[in-house]
Amino acid sequence: MNLENISNNKSFGGWHKQYTHQSEVLNCAMRFAIFLPPKVNEGHKVPVLYWLSGLTCTDENFMQKAGAQRIAAELGIAIVAPDTSPRGEDVANDEGYDLGQGAGFYVNATQAPWAAHFKMYDYILDELPNLIEANFPVTSQRAISGHSMGGHGALMIGLKNQSRFSSISAFSPITNPTQCPWGEKAFTAYLGDNKQAWAEYDSVELLKAGKPSLPILVDQGSEDGFLAEQLKPENLIAAAKSVDAECELRMQAGYDHSYYFIASFIEDHLRFHHQHLNAK
Amino acid sequence: MNLENISNNKSFGGWHKQYTHQSEVLNCAMRFAIFLPPKVNEGHKVPVLYWLSGLTCTDENFMQKAGAQRIAAELGIAIVAPDTSPRGEDVANDEGYDLGQGAGFYVNATQAPWAAHFKMYDYILDELPNLIEANFPVTSQRAISGHSMGGHGALMIGLKNQSRFSSISAFSPITNPTQCPWGEKAFTAYLGDNKQAWAEYDSVELLKAGKPSLPILVDQGSEDGFLAEQLKPENLIAAAKSVDAECELRMQAGYDHSYYFIASFIEDHLRFHHQHLNAK
């Protein structure tokens, strides 16, 4: 069994657990965290919300700071928080916080030196859910959410794989990575100069392809310092309107880019996903 | 004005704010955090819960990890989280995580080299509340709580100053520091060999002096790795029984010493304090 349990914390009657495993797709050891609600203690299988974190984060930021366990325990939802990139001494890196380790951008890199390990798209879409569904008391019902770079990941992976998820949500997502400095830097490094390759990982471009079959909820703080230059939710909403997508953007007055913002609204996101997981 | 605002995050309709100030008592610059519930936006003054953190912590651990803001926002309670010791290059320190900076133990040190700065008892009891009550929209109603070393601080400061607080609570407190390795090391360093000086900062000894006028709530995880050697809640309960104190100890099966434990039960503590703040 390629799965090593490295921590266990009882939390709201359920369990927060961390594991390491050797990822075949990423070709390195990876850590993830899972919250299992108390319902699994009684022999039930539960659906899974995959949470994708932002730049510089690991599996720990969301689990420690979002305050999601209380509601997940109540609703009977497992939460899986992967790391944000491959890691290790053998894995390529960059001095910037926005490229390399901690900044995988949830794409499959095609360019040297990144292509050897940076296949986060395949990891999040296939390898990790397969591992989770083979080893934990969960159903194959899945929802996806994330923050900032991870909000981009959730929107993009959800839109490209609509049959695999019941619903998508995001906090402060990078909605249009082909049109902002963070995305331009990362996509140039990971994908090269071919803008057609970029478009396949851009939620605004993906949304333009047609009305999605699943609902989308986005929360964005009005005082987020990255809003105008990096996040551009107006581009997502314009694309959503053009295809009549079920996509709600809530501009939250006064909130910033931090986990204080996420914690304030995570309950709404879990209830949104719960409603659609149950409807499926 | 000796108070510099260094961060602001909107949180559950209220505000998390960090400040620095020059502490006269500690003779160094100090940072603290305050959560102001939305009620203050409407011109109301609110009571204050002082939260004392444990070894190695700063003002940030509780504010980021406990998930307290949701309930404090609902109940209209401000929370103040100070640092756990004086800080700075000019302040004495030790290589151990359990002595010196990050480990002030909420006492007034009398021994060199600690006595120059380590006056956390006076800081928490007087200087900080005076600063808070002079500069923020709060009443003089106060409750006190904390975790581990901070649970010791909350119990000890509350018991020594019963007219200053409405209620005391603690998570995993060091109940009897004169009888455990953490306390023995710190009290020897800060207070010297005089065990009578130690007893004045020991909650079990303080409780034996007579029935307290304020209620106490303690949560303790049964799987806390520090339980038997360092925390000894049975000593607190024995002392409480001997004086008929209103002191409830809840042993929480399966929980550990972490913030996952604190987050699971912080709502109960805030509702407990709210009830007694209102009754006063």
Side-chain angles (χ1 to χ4, degrees), chain B residues 57 85 89 93 99 139-140 167 179 184 194 205-206 231 233 248 253-254 258 261 273:
Chain B
C57 289
S85 77
E89 286 185 12
N93 205 357
L99 188 66
T139 69
S140 58
S167 43
Q179 306 296 325
E184 288 164 4
N194 177 358
E205 295 304 320
L206 292 165
L231 306 179
E248 182 181 9
S258 73
F261 165 54
H273 291 297

Side-chain angles (χ1 to χ4, degrees), chain A residues 8-16 60 63-67 69-70 252-256 258 260-261 263-265 267, chain B residues 8-16 60 63-67 69-70 252-256 258 260-261 263-265 267:
Chain A
N8 298 285
N9 310 96
K10 196 169 180 183
S11 168
F12 287 94
W15 289 92
H16 167 261
E60 293 188 331
M63 291 295 190
Q64 293 181 351
K65 297 181 177 180
Q69 292 90 347
R70 178 182 62 90
Q252 303 288 5
Y255 287 88
D256 62 18
S258 74
Y260 292 107
F261 165 54
S264 298
F265 298 102
E267 178 164 357
Chain B
N8 298 285
N9 310 97
K10 196 169 179 182
S11 168
F12 288 94
W15 289 92
H16 167 263
E60 293 189 331
M63 291 296 189
Q64 293 182 350
K65 296 181 177 180
Q69 292 89 347
R70 179 182 61 88
Q252 303 288 5
Y255 287 87
D256 62 18
S258 73
Y260 292 108
F261 165 54
S264 298
F265 298 102
E267 178 164 358

Side-chain angles (χ1 to χ4, degrees), chain B residues 7-8 14 25 38 53 63 89 128 131 153 155 168 172 187 203 220 227 250 259-260 265 272:
Chain B
S7 80
N8 298 285
V25 167
S53 284
M63 291 296 189
E89 286 185 12
L128 183 63
L131 191 73
L155 289 166
I168 305 171
S172 341
F187 283 14
S203 298
Q220 173 62 55
L227 176 54
R250 310 192 307 184
Y259 266 92
Y260 292 108
F265 298 102
F272 165 79

